[in-house]
Amino acid sequence: EKDSIIKVLVENGISYEIITYQNFISTSYLKQDSGLNILCNVSGLSKSLIFKSINSIYNNDNIIFSHSFAKEYYPLDIDIERYLNDCNSSEFSYELLETITSDLVKGESGPYKIEKMLSSNTDDSKKRVLIAFASSKYERLFTLIDEREYEIIELITPIPQNPRTKLARIAAEIVSKRFNHVVINEFDTNSLQDILTYLYQKFYEYYVVNNYNIEIALTGSKRQTIICSFLSSILKISNCWYINPSSWDTERFSKGMKETTYFKINPAE
């Protein structure tokens, strides 16, 4: 894939630079005042790199984001369905979910490490609310809430239309059984405007009105990570967390490519 991208760049006379992962995370390549027209394709980026990229360029009016959907994502729908058909979802617990999906190929493996993405001067004595996303890779979310305490957990979950989104919904319901004051909010995963509006509303409700510290977990999709990264750059967010797996299986992360979408976030609006 990298070779095909370079070929297109060369054919169109576009200069390019290949930046290693380690160099990118240690150096700010993209400056706020660069004045460049920027196309940021997040398809092949980890959520931590998406966050760092947007924090570098969020105030640039000339940035366009693009994202290509894969044909298949791990864990595969067909594999999830086989596991879920054997169980009554109302009887699910964290332990049962772990047991029945232990052999599920997910494209990544634990143990998971919690990484702080945001440095913010906040009063740690304030009450905390977590805004997070439920997904079929539920271990990331579970790792965070097992380690940190929150007065309120706001969970965004996809509409359960296929095995992957049904598994995400089950994970959200398990969280609501284990912890008090969990609010489950159902959204179309690809409706970025609705999620953006919801996050603004929650910021006003919890931070402005009730004086809570707000923390965000990057446990959703890459498109949702763009929204969270943008808001973390312009609003008073106490912490933003990325939950990093120990390893990725690059052969079983995603397969193929479907349509590509382009969108822009205007920081002035």
Side-chain angles (χ1 to χ4, degrees):
E1 184 176 351
K2 182 181 75 173
D3 292 339
S4 62
I5 293 174
I6 292 176
K7 181 181 178 182
V8 172
L9 294 175
V10 172
E11 289 175 349
N12 288 273
I14 301 173
S15 61
Y16 66 91
E17 178 184 0
I18 297 176
I19 304 170
T20 66
Y21 176 85
Q22 290 301 325
N23 283 341
F24 186 88
I25 62 175
S26 62
T27 307
S28 181
Y29 277 88
L30 302 174
K31 303 294 184 181
Q32 296 282 9
D33 58 353
S34 64
L36 298 173
N37 293 317
I38 300 173
L39 172 62
C40 182
N41 188 302
V42 303
S43 306
L45 300 181
S46 69
K47 296 181 181 70
S48 59
L49 284 182
I50 294 173
F51 186 91
K52 181 174 176 61
S53 299
I54 293 175
N55 266 257
S56 298
I57 55 178
Y58 74 90
N59 204 33
N60 189 322
D61 291 336
N62 299 319
I63 179 173
I64 296 176
F65 297 98
S66 66
H67 174 256
S68 300
F69 291 98
K71 289 183 178 179
E72 291 183 326
Y73 291 94
Y74 282 87
L76 299 174
D77 277 338
I78 189 172
D79 292 336
I80 296 173
E81 190 169 27
R82 185 174 68 253
Y83 285 99
L84 298 187
N85 283 342
D86 295 334
C87 298
N88 185 340
S89 61
S90 63
E91 300 175 354
F92 269 118
S93 65
Y94 178 46
E95 293 74 19
L96 177 59
L97 189 62
E98 284 282 272
T99 299
I100 67 171
T101 63
S102 59
D103 296 328
L104 195 61
V105 178
K106 300 173 184 176
E108 64 182 46
S109 60
Y112 292 81
K113 178 183 178 182
I114 300 173
E115 297 183 7
K116 185 175 183 178
M117 302 300 299
L118 191 65
S119 295
S120 177
N121 295 323
T122 57
D123 182 356
D124 291 335
S125 66
K126 291 182 180 180
K127 294 181 179 180
R128 294 198 301 235
V129 58
L130 174 69
I131 299 176
F133 299 83
S135 76
S136 58
K137 296 181 180 180
Y138 57 85
E139 294 92 343
R140 298 190 183 209
L141 173 62
F142 287 4
T143 297
L144 178 63
I145 59 179
D146 279 344
E147 188 163 319
R148 293 182 62 80
E149 294 183 358
Y150 296 96
E151 276 70 31
I152 300 174
I153 299 175
E154 291 269 355
L155 275 183
I156 298 175
T157 184
I159 299 171
Q161 298 175 323
N162 54 52
R164 285 174 58 84
T165 53
K166 288 178 181 177
L167 180 57
R169 178 71 188 201
I170 290 171
E173 290 173 354
I174 290 174
V175 172
S176 69
K177 292 177 182 178
R178 295 182 63 197
F179 300 93
N180 295 326
H181 307 299
V182 175
V183 182
I184 297 178
N185 308 274
E186 194 172 273
F187 282 94
D188 178 351
T189 303
N190 297 318
S191 181
L192 298 185
Q193 183 59 57
D194 289 344
I195 294 175
L196 182 62
T197 300
Y198 159 82
L199 292 174
Y200 270 122
Q201 291 171 345
K202 291 303 172 182
F203 176 81
Y204 180 81
E205 175 185 347
Y206 288 117
Y207 181 78
V208 178
V209 177
N210 293 299
N211 200 30
Y212 276 68
N213 283 339
I214 297 178
E215 300 187 7
I216 295 177
L218 304 179
T219 54
S221 68
K222 293 182 179 182
R223 295 160 67 91
Q224 291 165 345
T225 298
I226 292 175
I227 297 297
C228 292
S229 304
F230 173 75
L231 290 182
S232 296
S233 300
I234 63 173
L235 300 179
K236 186 67 173 181
I237 304 300
S238 299
N239 282 305
C240 189
W241 304 103
Y242 173 63
I243 298 84
N244 194 13
S246 296
S247 62
W248 283 277
D249 184 348
T250 57
E251 297 298 321
R252 295 180 175 86
F253 200 74
S254 63
K255 287 184 176 181
M257 187 179 75
K258 294 197 296 186
E259 71 272 13
T260 298
T261 57
Y262 299 84
F263 50 96
K264 185 175 183 178
I265 302 175
N266 190 341
E269 294 182 353

